[in-house]
Structures are given as C-alpha cells and as structure tokens.
Amino acid sequence: AGVDSVLTKPFEPDAVLNHIQYLLNGECPPFQALISSQAGLPAEVVETSWRQSVMSLVEEQFDQANFGTAMAANALYMSERSLQRKFKLEFGMSFKDYVSQFRFEQAKRKLKQGERVSDVALSCGFNDPSYFSARFKGNFGITPSQYAAQYQH
C-alpha cells in the first residue's frame, strides 16, 4: 500500500506507457519521467512552459474578481493543492500572493496613467473600491489617490 510513482500533468501517452512498463517490471521509473515528458522535452523546458502558462493565465484573468486558486487549478487541469504546492516551489510565494501582487502592480500602472481609483479597482479584480483602497494603503503606505497625485502634472 502506498504510492509507487507520480506523473504530473500534462503528460504524453507514450510517457505513461513507459512509466507503466517500468512499474510492471518492478523497476523504478527514471526521475525525468516522473517530472513530465512533453514530446521528449527536458524537464527544465517543461517547467519553464508551465511557469509561462501560469503567468499568462494570471495576466489574462487578474481583472476577474472571482479569479483565484480554484479557477486557475481548473484552467491548468490540476487540483488546487497541486497548484499551490507546485506554484510555491516554482515562484517562492503562494498563488494568492502572486495574483494580489500582480493586481497591485497593474493598479499602480493605471493610477500613474491618471485613471480614476474606482475604475482601477474594478479593472484590477476588486469588487469594492473601498476595500481596494484599504488594501492599497496597507501595501504601500499611501492611498491610491495619494499615489496617483504623485504622477499628475
């Protein structure tokens, strides 16, 4: 009883068959096969591709207030726990913190361009401009209006 091996998604059918063959023969599959095998690409390329997929997903969805771990895990065809674990390993922070940081960086960019605070809040995935302002001040020590005023001519 227990886990003999793990294949991470996405994987190629040939990799699964090779993996099963190793297990049926009572052998330990090569470590490379445990990581992933996308058309024979090295693990480093696969991991870079996964990182790029996650970053693209966040860039595409950050403006959705309901975007979070559950939605991202579903889009990446993995469990929430697997996403959290792999994300922490790859990025050195939680997925939630990364999305929050990304949203605030986009908000700062929009505020510099002179957009209204309420519009920025809504376009960066916050349903409530007051909550956005409180979180912004908590992160940067000044309100979004004060931040924007620094860049007005």
Side-chain angles (χ1 to χ4, degrees):
V3 176
D4 290 321
S5 65
V6 176
L7 279 171
T8 61
K9 294 179 185 177
F11 48 78
E12 293 293 316
D14 289 342
V16 174
L17 293 175
N18 288 338
H19 204 80
I20 292 170
Q21 190 61 46
Y22 276 108
L23 293 172
L24 290 174
N25 291 334
E27 300 171 9
C28 181
F31 184 69
Q32 184 79 9
L34 292 173
I35 296 173
S36 184
S37 175
Q38 288 184 340
L41 295 174
E44 298 81 34
V45 174
V46 173
E47 293 307 308
T48 301
S49 173
W50 185 82
R51 282 180 65 97
Q52 222 27 65
S53 296
V54 172
M55 290 167 42
S56 294
L57 181 64
V58 171
E59 191 173 327
E60 293 167 9
Q61 299 293 324
F62 79 95
D63 59 338
Q64 303 298 315
N66 63 343
F67 179 67
T69 308
M71 187 183 257
N74 189 39
L76 294 166
Y77 304 104
M78 57 194 324
S79 71
E80 286 184 58
R81 183 68 188 125
S82 293
L83 171 62
Q84 291 168 342
R85 224 179 291 120
K86 187 168 185 170
F87 193 91
K88 181 85 170 185
L89 181 68
E90 291 290 316
F91 289 83
M93 67 174 66
S94 71
F95 182 76
K96 181 180 176 183
D97 289 345
Y98 180 82
V99 172
S100 181
Q101 183 181 47
F102 188 87
R103 284 178 168 153
F104 282 117
E105 289 304 315
Q106 296 304 309
K108 284 169 50 176
R109 183 181 56 77
K110 291 175 182 230
L111 289 167
K112 282 181 186 178
Q113 294 172 350
E115 292 187 35
R116 291 183 359 186
V117 172
S118 58
D119 293 339
V120 170
L122 296 174
S123 70
C124 289
F126 293 90
N127 285 332
D128 181 4
S130 298
Y131 177 70
F132 166 73
S133 293
R135 290 273 318 273
F136 191 96
K137 185 172 184 176
N139 281 339
F140 304 112
I142 58 175
T143 66
S145 299
Q146 291 168 329
Y147 182 85
Q150 297 174 359
Y151 298 96
Q152 300 308 313
H153 303 202

